[in-house]
Amino acid sequence: MCIRDSCSIGWGSVTCKYDKAVFKNRAVYFQTPVGEAPGDGWPVVLNFHGWYLDGISAFVSSSSDEYGLFNKALATMALLDAGYAVVAPSASQKNMDAWETNAPPYSTDLSAWSKSQDAAYLEKLFTAMADGGLGDGCCNMKDMHAIGFSSGGYMTSRMAFSYQGKFRSLAIESASLYYCAGSGCPDPTAQDVPGLQEHPPTLLLHGTDDPIVPASTSAKYRQILEQYNIEVARYTMAGAGHQWIEKAPELILDWVSKHSLQQSLFSEWRAAPRPPVLSTDPTYRHAFRVEREGGCLHVFEDASNITLATQPCTPLSDHWVKWESGAIAAANHTDLCIVVPRKHCLVGEPLGLGSCFGTIPGNFFSLDDDDEGDPALMGGELVSRGCIGKCLTEKVSGNGSNDASPVPVLGDCDLDQRWQFKFSIL
């Protein structure tokens, strides 16, 4: 697997380190970024889980998990990489791990919320966050953001109405207003007006074919916020059901960073070109093999890491490195890109695999067309966006032709060299 400072990413899995605390007999899972915290503490993102889930899913997930939880863990990884603490509270098991926000009487009487078990739990949690109870540097309570999915999405909306002024932004996945549930989503009432008037900027994400929470309910939320001149954006994933959509990691990080008090720290990151979130849906997959004369780029896994090497091209290899949706992805993995591992750009620098949402601006590889038409059919250079004029080449020994597994490195672009990598349609 590819080891990162806070997270490790392997074959279809993400594991981020986390700590655990308990308040009101409920767990909270949390992690701070690597490094020294800013003077006011790390900006922080609360991540509210969905029904029948728990806070751990913000830190550990695999691509086989339901509800697109893999994308949720990727979002955590992206946030930690960008300098945000992540705190994942847990709903009560007595309430089947669902948040109370849209259950009576709290769904109909906004003033009743202070009497809920969730409110008592959050009060303890917020106090601990402010007093350093979740580790050094956590948290900057003036730079809080909240995200959530399904039941946790409704709970994220609750932050706008019962905790006015506490959160700088919200991101809500597969949910709507705090009092809605499934297709039941009535209009707001007079008690909701103050919360709507001071509502934080809100990002809404939804699958168009969600059978549990219809996408029309988040569309309604957007329309209501627009009526109050609140900054709102909504993105949908065509054909997706009740899940974290594939673009969630990138969209959430962009949204949170845009509204953070420390946004100047991330302006370079946001301005840098980077690949789109890669699709796991074969309908949107461009399966072009990365190859050069006599060999194909492959991915290999051992007990501690994932490595790249050139091996003979075989017709049915599952380990080819492919081009998918505009970025260079690792074999069958839509979560890894070929990256320059450090900020400097030295010829001969070994290339690795890492997140497509890394902290080094533009450190992934992209395809640079060398002619018009379909680049995969007639070739092109694999160019590092962060290292101008540098291409993916190989470290060879001797004449290179007998090297069993040449190692990809950063090199000068020279289309006359035999080992310049191209694309070939499968």
Side-chain angles (χ1 to χ4, degrees), residues 26 48-55 89-104 106 113 116-119 121 149-156 178 180-181 242:
R26 293 197 221 170
F48 293 102
H49 65 75
W51 187 27
Y52 279 124
L53 300 173
D54 57 38
S90 296
S92 173
Q93 293 182 344
K94 295 180 180 179
N95 197 37
M96 296 183 292
D97 296 310
W99 299 97
E100 295 175 298
T101 181
N102 51 0
Y106 316 117
W113 178 252
S116 70
Q117 294 181 13
D118 286 353
Y121 170 63
F149 163 74
S150 191
S151 175
Y154 296 121
M155 187 64 169
T156 300
Y178 75 93
C180 298
H242 194 61

Side-chain angles (χ1 to χ4, degrees), residues 35-326:
E36 184 177 352
D40 293 332
W42 296 111
V44 60
V45 179
L46 269 68
N47 191 332
F48 293 102
H49 65 75
W51 187 27
Y52 279 124
L53 300 173
D54 57 38
I56 296 177
S57 60
F59 296 93
V60 180
S61 190
S62 72
S63 56
S64 61
D65 288 345
E66 58 186 345
Y67 305 124
L69 292 177
F70 186 64
N71 297 318
K72 176 183 181 180
L74 285 177
T76 294
M77 184 173 71
L79 289 164
L80 288 170
D81 280 353
Y84 294 93
V86 176
V87 176
S90 296
S92 173
Q93 293 182 344
K94 295 180 180 179
N95 197 37
M96 296 183 292
D97 296 310
W99 299 97
E100 295 175 298
T101 181
N102 51 0
Y106 316 117
S107 58
T108 55
D109 183 358
L110 195 56
S111 64
W113 178 252
S114 60
K115 300 177 183 178
S116 70
Q117 294 181 13
D118 286 353
Y121 170 63
L122 289 182
E123 181 179 359
K124 293 287 187 181
L125 175 59
F126 290 151
T127 299
M129 291 167 62
D131 294 344
L134 299 190
D136 294 339
C138 184
C139 301
N140 185 348
M141 301 302 286
K142 295 181 180 179
D143 202 353
M144 286 208 302
H145 311 259
I147 65 177
F149 163 74
S150 191
S151 175
Y154 296 121
M155 187 64 169
T156 300
S157 174
R158 168 68 69 171
M159 299 303 105
F161 296 87
S162 296
Y163 302 92
Q164 291 179 33
K166 278 188 173 289
F167 292 85
R168 295 190 59 83
S169 77
L170 307 178
I172 296 171
E173 171 78 64
S174 305
S176 187
L177 289 145
Y178 75 93
Y179 55 78
C180 298
S183 59
C185 197
D187 293 336
T189 62
Q191 66 176 347
D192 302 315
V193 171
L196 289 169
Q197 291 174 332
E198 301 298 327
H199 202 287
T202 298
L203 172 68
L204 300 167
L205 307 173
H206 223 129
T208 60
D209 293 353
D210 190 331
I212 299 175
V213 180
S216 59
T217 61
S218 63
K220 178 175 182 176
Y221 199 170
R222 179 188 62 187
Q223 293 170 354
I224 292 170
L225 292 180
E226 289 174 342
Q227 292 172 7
Y228 283 85
N229 296 315
I230 300 300
E231 183 182 358
V232 60
R234 182 173 178 267
Y235 294 86
T236 60
M237 179 178 171
H242 194 61
Q243 65 178 83
W244 287 82
I245 65 173
E246 290 172 1
K247 287 190 176 182
E250 180 181 23
L251 293 171
I252 288 172
L253 180 55
D254 273 342
W255 190 259
V256 170
S257 297
K258 177 182 179 181
H259 297 96
S260 171
L261 288 173
Q262 302 189 59
Q263 58 181 294
S264 60
L265 297 178
F266 311 110
S267 59
E268 182 181 3
W269 186 94
R270 291 201 310 272
R274 57 192 184 278
V277 179
L278 305 178
S279 176
T280 56
D281 187 336
T283 303
Y284 304 105
R285 177 171 295 178
H286 303 284
F288 300 121
R289 183 172 63 195
V290 178
E291 66 176 30
R292 51 88 168 145
E293 181 183 350
C296 289
L297 197 60
H298 283 68
V299 177
F300 298 91
E301 182 181 23
D302 59 31
S304 60
N305 58 18
I306 295 176
T307 58
L308 292 165
T310 305
Q311 290 283 289
C313 299
T314 54
L316 299 177
S317 174
D318 290 329
H319 302 291
W320 286 325
V321 172
K322 298 176 181 178
W323 175 55
E324 299 186 50
S325 303

